[in-house]
Amino acid sequence: YYEFDNTVVREILGKKLTTRLRKDLDDISERTSVPLKSCKRQYDNIKNIFKAVEDSTGDLVNNIKTEFLLSENLSKSYACIVFMSYHKFETGKRRLSYLTFTDCAYCVEQMITNWTINSSDATESDTVLDMDKNFLQELRDLKIFSSDKDIADEHKRAVFTELKAKASKEIAKMYDPHVKNFDRILISIGADLIHQKDLKDIFLDLVEKFIEPCKQANLTVSGLSMFLQALMTTCEKLSSVQ
């Protein structure tokens, strides 16, 4: 009964679960070729789970699993859906249309695991759906990596050295021109997540400001993976920020 169609859920992702949205399910039914009755069932299930966990504390996935007796995988999927609805993540723009539910769910699962408040650190006002405010503030503090010229220059050199050692000199040269720009872009996106209006645009910002420029520069997934790893691992080694 709680199984759902990825195509239907993809249409609902990030939207506020209102009566108006339920009335629009006939359009979703037409676009996805899923019967309206099934669309309504899926919408109602999502809303019921959302209402059950929005004010809860503890572990989001476990709360859903316990309350609705669902499997681990299905509970994880619903956790991603309600998390996106709670934060109203923008996923409806045309340039995001290529993202599937699975794509979005993978990203959100990482957010839930790494960016939400730990139950041991939660205050009375924190719920399982809230972001870790201390973490968001730490992201904001990272602006020094792009605003301070000495730190930015040292970081650029450190990334080049790291890529040269872990990959090759050719890879290091390929990514060297992008270090400062990508540093600035990613840090700017991260620093703004402390504001709800910017948090909801995280998918759009990453696609427009990072993913599309990477595509235009013909950067490969494997190369980017090494590059991003180098960006992170070299930060703590900089003498400028000791």
Side-chain angles (χ1 to χ4, degrees):
Y1 183 80
Y2 279 92
E3 293 291 340
F4 57 80
D5 295 285
N6 285 2
T7 53
V8 172
V9 171
R10 178 64 183 86
E11 295 277 343
I12 296 173
L13 282 183
K15 292 184 172 66
K16 193 172 182 179
L17 303 174
T18 61
T19 303
R20 180 177 178 180
L21 177 57
R22 197 177 192 279
K23 289 179 179 177
D24 290 340
L25 290 176
D26 51 349
D27 294 331
I28 292 177
S29 172
E30 187 174 332
R31 286 196 296 271
T32 60
S33 299
V34 174
L36 179 58
K37 185 177 181 180
S38 177
C39 290
K40 288 181 177 179
R41 172 185 61 79
Q42 294 177 56
Y43 171 86
D44 290 341
N45 286 342
I46 292 171
K47 187 162 187 178
N48 288 339
I49 292 176
F50 181 91
K51 290 173 68 175
V53 302
E54 64 175 326
D55 295 322
S56 65
T57 58
D59 182 87
L60 177 57
V61 174
N62 192 57
N63 288 354
I64 294 173
K65 185 178 178 181
T66 303
E67 180 75 18
F68 294 91
L69 303 179
L70 303 180
S71 68
E72 180 78 12
N73 287 338
L74 195 54
S75 297
K76 285 182 178 180
S77 294
Y78 272 110
C80 293
I81 295 167
V82 298
F83 190 82
M84 292 191 73
S85 293
Y86 180 78
H87 291 286
K88 302 181 182 68
F89 287 138
E90 174 59 71
T91 60
K93 298 292 186 184
R94 180 171 295 180
R95 62 179 53 196
L96 299 179
S97 60
Y98 73 94
L99 294 175
T100 65
F101 166 71
T102 303
D103 295 330
C104 296
Y106 174 81
C107 296
V108 172
E109 189 174 342
Q110 307 311 307
M111 294 181 198
I112 293 172
T113 301
N114 300 296
W115 295 4
T116 55
I117 192 78
N118 185 292
S119 58
S120 61
D121 299 324
T123 65
E124 288 185 5
S125 61
D126 291 321
T127 73
V128 291
L129 295 170
D130 288 319
M131 302 287 276
D132 185 337
K133 296 180 183 65
N134 290 331
F135 170 71
L136 296 182
Q137 183 58 53
E138 288 173 353
L139 287 180
R140 189 170 180 80
D141 293 341
L142 287 176
K143 277 191 170 183
I144 192 172
F145 278 89
S146 57
S147 61
D148 186 296
K149 186 179 184 303
D150 290 338
I151 294 176
D153 288 342
E154 186 187 2
H155 194 203
K156 185 173 184 288
R157 292 192 297 271
V159 171
F160 182 88
T161 302
E162 182 82 359
L163 285 175
K164 184 179 176 182
K166 297 289 178 65
S168 67
K169 189 174 182 179
E170 289 70 27
I171 293 290
K173 284 183 176 180
M174 180 185 299
Y175 284 90
D176 191 54
H178 302 292
V179 175
K180 286 188 177 181
N181 187 40
F182 284 163
D183 242 357
R184 179 183 56 78
I185 290 170
L186 293 173
I187 288 172
S188 177
I189 292 173
D192 288 340
L193 295 181
I194 200 166
H195 305 298
Q196 182 60 38
K197 63 182 179 63
D198 294 303
L199 175 61
K200 73 181 184 64
D201 285 332
I202 185 171
F203 285 94
L204 190 61
D205 285 342
L206 284 172
V207 168
E208 287 183 342
K209 299 175 182 178
F210 181 68
I211 295 175
E212 289 183 355
C214 286
K215 288 181 177 179
Q216 291 167 5
N218 295 317
L219 302 179
T220 65
V221 173
S222 58
L224 269 174
S225 180
M226 289 186 288
F227 172 66
L228 292 173
Q229 188 66 33
L231 275 183
M232 292 187 294
T233 56
T234 52
C235 288
E236 60 188 22
K237 302 175 183 177
L238 303 183
S239 59
S240 308
V241 293
Q242 296 299 321

